[in-house]
Amino acid sequence: MTQPRALIIAGPTASGKSALALELAERFGGTVINADAMQCYRELRVVTARPPPEDEARAPHALYGVLPAAEAGSVAWWREAALAEMARARLPILCGGTGMYLRALTQGLSVLPEIPPPAREEARARLAALGAERLHAQLPPEDAARLRPSDSQRIARALEVWLATGQSLAAWHRTAPRLPPADYDFRAILLTPPREQLHPAIIARWAIMRAEGALEEVGALLEQGLDPGLPAMRAHGVPELAAEWRGEASPAEADARAIAGTWTYTRRQATWFRHQELVAPAATHRINARIAGLAQFSERNAPEIFAFLQRAG
């Protein structure tokens, strides 16, 4: 049987993924399915630059704002939810910059152990008490070697596995059973605008977030009194605006820190997408298609993109 088709629109923050996905969804009758970890959270519409209601009205959108900030999303949760949405869509259009989410669809996913609450709570308590860098030094050596000292979420996850099982996360990845790649014939468009265009785009997008109420959105989030270790509490811009809300930083300081943090993350994203293959090799009936050097999506890019899709079938 012929596999159903699915389209991936991927790339770093501020590269124009959402605009392109919307254009393609309207033209081909597709459903835009969110593949950005932070855009899943209900309370973070502005600070994560989720598609506005008027865009959602133009074409079906799925998995945007579906989780409360009090819950922690995961790759496994997203994969299952995305597969359910893909099964309902005429043409699934997976749009986002969380590469691990997309890779879990196209390359499969290791099934990691269930973490009992005591191990999870101890890991979060150690993270809060020691900070990411000091906790990183306490990880099993093979986990420490593959994780950045600043990556608090993955450091906490590695510690949870260690506390619950006595094994490193790396060891679990080597031996755990794997969920297979999704049974779809994927096409991929990777947006790779020049970095000198991305930095101004990040600054412009931050100004729009400010004008649309990002500070007030973060203030409402803080009023919930959530665990600061939750993913939503660490979304880009949230810690910086939280400091401003509490009077610990001026607006200018919050802006500078948020833009710098987003820019650092965007550069890492661009490097990841440059070196990773999202779509499986042709032997497994997956097609990896990249349009190198594509600037932020605009109407002038449309002929190039549609010509690629026509060639790819």
mmCIF file of all heavy atoms in Angstrom, residues 54 67 87 91-92 122 131 134 168 174 180 191-192 203 210 245 250 269 283 295 299 312:
data_model
loop_
_atom_site.group_PDB
_atom_site.id
_atom_site.type_symbol
_atom_site.label_atom_id
_atom_site.label_comp_id
_atom_site.label_asym_id
_atom_site.label_seq_id
_atom_site.Cartn_x
_atom_site.Cartn_y
_atom_site.Cartn_z
ATOM 1 N N GLU A 54 -6.623 34.699 13.923
ATOM 2 C CA GLU A 54 -7.007 34.908 12.525
ATOM 3 C C GLU A 54 -6.306 33.931 11.585
ATOM 4 O O GLU A 54 -6.863 33.530 10.555
ATOM 5 C CB GLU A 54 -6.740 36.349 12.099
ATOM 6 C CG GLU A 54 -5.332 36.854 12.322
ATOM 7 C CD GLU A 54 -5.141 37.544 13.668
ATOM 8 O OE1 GLU A 54 -5.874 37.196 14.632
ATOM 9 O OE2 GLU A 54 -4.251 38.420 13.746
ATOM 10 N N LEU A 67 -1.672 22.103 26.271
ATOM 11 C CA LEU A 67 -1.221 21.671 27.588
ATOM 12 C C LEU A 67 -1.244 22.835 28.572
ATOM 13 O O LEU A 67 -0.814 23.942 28.228
ATOM 14 C CB LEU A 67 0.222 21.147 27.522
ATOM 15 C CG LEU A 67 0.495 19.711 27.093
ATOM 16 C CD1 LEU A 67 1.992 19.450 27.153
ATOM 17 C CD2 LEU A 67 -0.249 18.726 27.961
ATOM 18 N N ALA A 87 -3.429 11.337 11.597
ATOM 19 C CA ALA A 87 -4.396 10.363 11.086
ATOM 20 C C ALA A 87 -5.698 11.024 10.661
ATOM 21 O O ALA A 87 -6.408 10.510 9.786
ATOM 22 C CB ALA A 87 -4.668 9.296 12.146
ATOM 23 N N LEU A 91 -3.749 16.384 4.695
ATOM 24 C CA LEU A 91 -2.302 16.519 4.502
ATOM 25 C C LEU A 91 -1.715 17.076 5.787
ATOM 26 O O LEU A 91 -1.883 18.258 6.087
ATOM 27 C CB LEU A 91 -1.972 17.459 3.339
ATOM 28 C CG LEU A 91 -0.475 17.783 3.172
ATOM 29 C CD1 LEU A 91 0.322 16.533 2.813
ATOM 30 C CD2 LEU A 91 -0.267 18.881 2.129
ATOM 31 N N PRO A 92 -1.029 16.249 6.578
ATOM 32 C CA PRO A 92 -0.389 16.778 7.787
ATOM 33 C C PRO A 92 0.801 17.660 7.407
ATOM 34 O O PRO A 92 1.649 17.266 6.608
ATOM 35 C CB PRO A 92 0.080 15.521 8.519
ATOM 36 C CG PRO A 92 -0.592 14.367 7.844
ATOM 37 C CD PRO A 92 -0.832 14.800 6.431
ATOM 38 N N GLU A 122 12.957 14.532 43.656
ATOM 39 C CA GLU A 122 14.334 14.721 44.128
ATOM 40 C C GLU A 122 15.187 15.399 43.067
ATOM 41 O O GLU A 122 16.004 16.277 43.379
ATOM 42 C CB GLU A 122 14.961 13.389 44.527
ATOM 43 C CG GLU A 122 16.376 13.563 45.077
ATOM 44 C CD GLU A 122 17.002 12.280 45.584
ATOM 45 O OE1 GLU A 122 16.271 11.279 45.728
ATOM 46 O OE2 GLU A 122 18.221 12.284 45.829
ATOM 47 N N GLY A 131 21.479 24.306 40.873
ATOM 48 C CA GLY A 131 21.608 24.915 39.556
ATOM 49 C C GLY A 131 22.094 23.886 38.541
ATOM 50 O O GLY A 131 22.636 22.830 38.890
ATOM 51 N N ARG A 134 26.178 22.887 38.369
ATOM 52 C CA ARG A 134 26.683 22.049 39.454
ATOM 53 C C ARG A 134 26.051 20.660 39.403
ATOM 54 O O ARG A 134 26.715 19.654 39.682
ATOM 55 C CB ARG A 134 26.412 22.705 40.803
ATOM 56 C CG ARG A 134 27.259 23.965 41.039
ATOM 57 C CD ARG A 134 26.860 24.663 42.328
ATOM 58 N NE ARG A 134 27.108 23.831 43.505
ATOM 59 C CZ ARG A 134 26.665 24.126 44.717
ATOM 60 N NH1 ARG A 134 25.937 25.225 44.905
ATOM 61 N NH2 ARG A 134 26.924 23.336 45.739
ATOM 62 N N SER A 168 22.634 5.139 33.564
ATOM 63 C CA SER A 168 22.688 6.429 32.889
ATOM 64 C C SER A 168 21.617 6.495 31.813
ATOM 65 O O SER A 168 21.146 5.475 31.298
ATOM 66 C CB SER A 168 24.067 6.644 32.257
ATOM 67 O OG SER A 168 24.253 5.741 31.175
ATOM 68 N N ARG A 174 20.708 3.132 24.638
ATOM 69 C CA ARG A 174 21.346 2.050 23.890
ATOM 70 C C ARG A 174 20.543 0.756 23.946
ATOM 71 O O ARG A 174 20.554 -0.037 23.003
ATOM 72 C CB ARG A 174 22.755 1.788 24.418
ATOM 73 C CG ARG A 174 23.778 2.850 24.031
ATOM 74 C CD ARG A 174 25.187 2.324 24.270
ATOM 75 N NE ARG A 174 25.431 1.975 25.669
ATOM 76 C CZ ARG A 174 25.861 2.818 26.593
ATOM 77 N NH1 ARG A 174 26.108 4.084 26.257
ATOM 78 N NH2 ARG A 174 26.067 2.431 27.845
ATOM 79 N N PRO A 180 8.870 2.584 16.220
ATOM 80 C CA PRO A 180 9.370 2.717 14.851
ATOM 81 C C PRO A 180 9.087 4.098 14.272
ATOM 82 O O PRO A 180 8.273 4.857 14.820
ATOM 83 C CB PRO A 180 8.583 1.645 14.101
ATOM 84 C CG PRO A 180 7.291 1.566 14.852
ATOM 85 C CD PRO A 180 7.653 1.770 16.305
ATOM 86 N N LEU A 191 13.937 25.618 6.411
ATOM 87 C CA LEU A 191 14.213 27.035 6.218
ATOM 88 C C LEU A 191 15.563 27.364 6.851
ATOM 89 O O LEU A 191 15.769 27.151 8.037
ATOM 90 C CB LEU A 191 13.114 27.890 6.848
ATOM 91 C CG LEU A 191 11.696 27.643 6.314
ATOM 92 C CD1 LEU A 191 10.722 28.611 6.960
ATOM 93 C CD2 LEU A 191 11.649 27.767 4.810
ATOM 94 N N THR A 192 16.471 27.879 6.043
ATOM 95 C CA THR A 192 17.815 28.191 6.534
ATOM 96 C C THR A 192 18.209 29.603 6.124
ATOM 97 O O THR A 192 19.110 29.791 5.309
ATOM 98 C CB THR A 192 18.843 27.187 5.973
ATOM 99 O OG1 THR A 192 18.785 27.215 4.539
ATOM 100 C CG2 THR A 192 18.561 25.782 6.460
ATOM 101 N N ILE A 203 14.850 40.476 17.000
ATOM 102 C CA ILE A 203 14.609 41.768 17.658
ATOM 103 C C ILE A 203 13.224 42.292 17.302
ATOM 104 O O ILE A 203 12.463 42.761 18.181
ATOM 105 C CB ILE A 203 15.699 42.777 17.254
ATOM 106 C CG1 ILE A 203 17.059 42.316 17.797
ATOM 107 C CG2 ILE A 203 15.364 44.171 17.762
ATOM 108 C CD1 ILE A 203 18.230 43.137 17.295
ATOM 109 N N ARG A 210 6.272 42.349 22.970
ATOM 110 C CA ARG A 210 6.115 43.394 23.993
ATOM 111 C C ARG A 210 4.796 44.141 23.789
ATOM 112 O O ARG A 210 4.009 44.319 24.722
ATOM 113 C CB ARG A 210 7.262 44.389 23.882
ATOM 114 C CG ARG A 210 8.488 44.075 24.671
ATOM 115 C CD ARG A 210 8.275 44.422 26.114
ATOM 116 N NE ARG A 210 9.509 44.312 26.876
ATOM 117 C CZ ARG A 210 9.548 44.390 28.194
ATOM 118 N NH1 ARG A 210 8.439 44.573 28.885
ATOM 119 N NH2 ARG A 210 10.694 44.290 28.834
ATOM 120 N N TRP A 245 8.930 41.551 36.014
ATOM 121 C CA TRP A 245 7.656 41.596 36.731
ATOM 122 C C TRP A 245 7.875 41.709 38.242
ATOM 123 O O TRP A 245 7.131 42.399 38.947
ATOM 124 C CB TRP A 245 6.838 40.353 36.394
ATOM 125 C CG TRP A 245 5.447 40.344 36.928
ATOM 126 C CD1 TRP A 245 4.995 39.751 38.076
ATOM 127 C CD2 TRP A 245 4.300 40.970 36.332
ATOM 128 N NE1 TRP A 245 3.653 39.953 38.231
ATOM 129 C CE2 TRP A 245 3.190 40.700 37.170
ATOM 130 C CE3 TRP A 245 4.109 41.714 35.170
ATOM 131 C CZ2 TRP A 245 1.904 41.158 36.887
ATOM 132 C CZ3 TRP A 245 2.830 42.166 34.880
ATOM 133 C CH2 TRP A 245 1.741 41.892 35.732
ATOM 134 N N SER A 250 15.180 45.857 34.809
ATOM 135 C CA SER A 250 14.475 46.914 34.074
ATOM 136 C C SER A 250 13.959 46.343 32.757
ATOM 137 O O SER A 250 14.417 45.293 32.293
ATOM 138 C CB SER A 250 15.425 48.074 33.794
ATOM 139 O OG SER A 250 16.418 47.672 32.854
ATOM 140 N N GLN A 269 19.949 25.928 17.130
ATOM 141 C CA GLN A 269 18.963 25.284 16.260
ATOM 142 C C GLN A 269 19.474 25.180 14.827
ATOM 143 O O GLN A 269 19.372 24.119 14.187
ATOM 144 C CB GLN A 269 17.664 26.097 16.223
ATOM 145 C CG GLN A 269 16.688 25.864 17.344
ATOM 146 C CD GLN A 269 15.446 26.706 17.111
ATOM 147 O OE1 GLN A 269 15.544 27.931 16.989
ATOM 148 N NE2 GLN A 269 14.311 26.063 17.039
ATOM 149 N N ALA A 283 16.082 4.673 0.850
ATOM 150 C CA ALA A 283 15.846 3.229 0.885
ATOM 151 C C ALA A 283 14.646 2.863 1.737
ATOM 152 O O ALA A 283 14.082 1.780 1.571
ATOM 153 C CB ALA A 283 17.087 2.506 1.397
ATOM 154 N N ALA A 295 15.471 32.489 2.603
ATOM 155 C CA ALA A 295 15.247 33.532 3.598
ATOM 156 C C ALA A 295 13.861 33.362 4.201
ATOM 157 O O ALA A 295 13.101 32.475 3.832
ATOM 158 C CB ALA A 295 15.390 34.911 2.953
ATOM 159 N N GLU A 299 6.043 35.953 -0.276
ATOM 160 C CA GLU A 299 5.446 35.558 -1.546
ATOM 161 C C GLU A 299 6.501 35.340 -2.625
ATOM 162 O O GLU A 299 6.306 34.526 -3.524
ATOM 163 C CB GLU A 299 4.435 36.620 -2.001
ATOM 164 C CG GLU A 299 3.132 36.587 -1.212
ATOM 165 C CD GLU A 299 2.412 35.250 -1.320
ATOM 166 O OE1 GLU A 299 2.404 34.676 -2.429
ATOM 167 O OE2 GLU A 299 1.885 34.775 -0.311
ATOM 168 N N ALA A 312 8.834 16.870 -6.104
ATOM 169 C CA ALA A 312 8.878 15.814 -5.108
ATOM 170 C C ALA A 312 7.638 14.940 -5.106
ATOM 171 O O ALA A 312 7.611 13.894 -4.472
ATOM 172 C CB ALA A 312 9.071 16.432 -3.708
#
